[in-house]
Amino acid sequence: MNKFRKPIIITLLWATLIIFDNYIDKYFGGIVHFFSMCTILVLFIIIIVNIIKELIKIYKSSRSLSFNAFVPLILYLSIPFLCGYIDLDKLDSKVIMRGCYEGTQNQAYILFRQDHSFELNWTGVFFYDKWYTGHWKKNKDTIILQYNNDTVKALGNKLIISNGYFTPVGKHADTVNYPIPMFYLGYCKHEN
């Protein structure tokens, strides 16, 4: 059993980091997410090297093989692929409305959830990645945002849904630097 401990630990750690990557980014971000991504890369390389080692070991002992000779290889190959079937988004509240912004060097999306929470992820060049979270209320075509942290200047705290866009009208919106609505309603179209 000791022979199987190494592949189990390596693959489970790799799979866990991949499964929880979105949450690590959202709640810890910055340097923690950077180290998490580096760890994922290092573990991936270790997994590939160990798969090659196991294949060589199987080839060299091909005359006297048992099922136990294949178990480490099966673990290295199966656990990472099985993590693709784990969807933690089901733990979050259902998304009932979404918006997207696509710039030339940055992009963002906002999700409005059924439990009246929202999350906005803004990414850009040079590994820029910032999360904004909070709660929202809707009255007809007006949405009021209450942020947990910094306010998004391109949106402010009050939006009107008109012509397929989230138009900022609140006092915290920077309408001088962002004179036209940036976020459109729906999924990102990947046009930039």
Side-chain angles (χ1 to χ4, degrees):
M1 195 63 174
N2 279 343
K3 146 182 185 176
F4 306 138
R5 185 175 295 151
K6 180 181 171 187
I8 289 172
I9 290 171
I10 290 172
T11 54
L12 282 179
L13 179 60
W14 186 77
T16 301
L17 287 173
I18 287 194
I19 290 167
F20 287 98
D21 179 62
N22 190 43
Y23 294 98
I24 293 169
D25 184 23
K26 186 188 316 181
Y27 295 112
F28 300 106
I31 197 78
V32 174
H33 187 243
F34 174 76
F35 282 120
S36 171
M37 294 301 292
C38 290
T39 305
I40 288 170
L41 178 63
V42 168
L43 288 172
F44 178 73
I45 292 168
I46 290 171
I47 289 170
I48 296 298
V49 168
N50 284 330
I51 287 172
I52 293 168
K53 284 181 181 179
E54 290 299 325
L55 287 171
I56 292 170
K57 200 183 301 182
I58 289 170
Y59 177 75
K60 286 183 177 179
S61 63
S62 60
R63 295 190 189 269
S64 60
L65 286 177
S66 67
F67 178 73
N68 284 346
F70 292 96
V71 172
L73 184 62
I74 292 169
L75 290 169
Y76 283 125
L77 292 173
S78 65
I79 291 177
F81 291 108
L82 291 176
C83 78
Y85 291 103
I86 299 173
D87 184 12
L88 292 182
D89 285 339
K90 292 178 182 174
L91 298 177
D92 288 330
S93 180
K94 182 181 174 187
V95 174
I96 58 172
M97 185 173 39
R98 64 182 67 236
C100 184
Y101 162 70
E102 295 177 297
T104 53
Q105 295 185 0
N106 58 11
Q107 56 280 333
Y109 69 87
I110 186 167
L111 304 176
F112 295 94
R113 298 193 177 272
Q114 193 169 27
D115 67 355
H116 291 276
S117 66
F118 75 88
E119 57 195 55
L120 186 147
N121 183 221
W122 204 300
T123 58
V125 295
F126 304 116
F127 308 105
Y128 181 81
D129 186 7
K130 181 143 184 186
W131 286 87
Y132 301 87
T133 58
H135 290 79
W136 64 280
K137 289 187 263 183
K138 184 177 180 194
N139 185 9
K140 297 181 184 173
D141 62 351
T142 304
I143 298 174
I144 306 293
L145 302 175
Q146 182 181 355
Y147 293 90
N148 292 336
N149 45 19
D150 299 335
T151 302
V152 177
K153 298 294 184 200
L155 287 176
N157 64 338
K158 189 175 183 183
L159 309 167
I160 293 179
I161 301 172
S162 66
N163 298 324
Y165 283 89
F166 293 103
T167 305
V169 294
K171 62 182 176 182
H172 296 288
D174 184 353
T175 54
V176 173
N177 290 320
Y178 309 104
I180 56 171
M182 298 171 63
F183 284 79
Y184 57 83
L185 197 60
Y187 286 92
C188 293
K189 299 172 187 170
H190 307 291
E191 294 176 347
N192 281 345

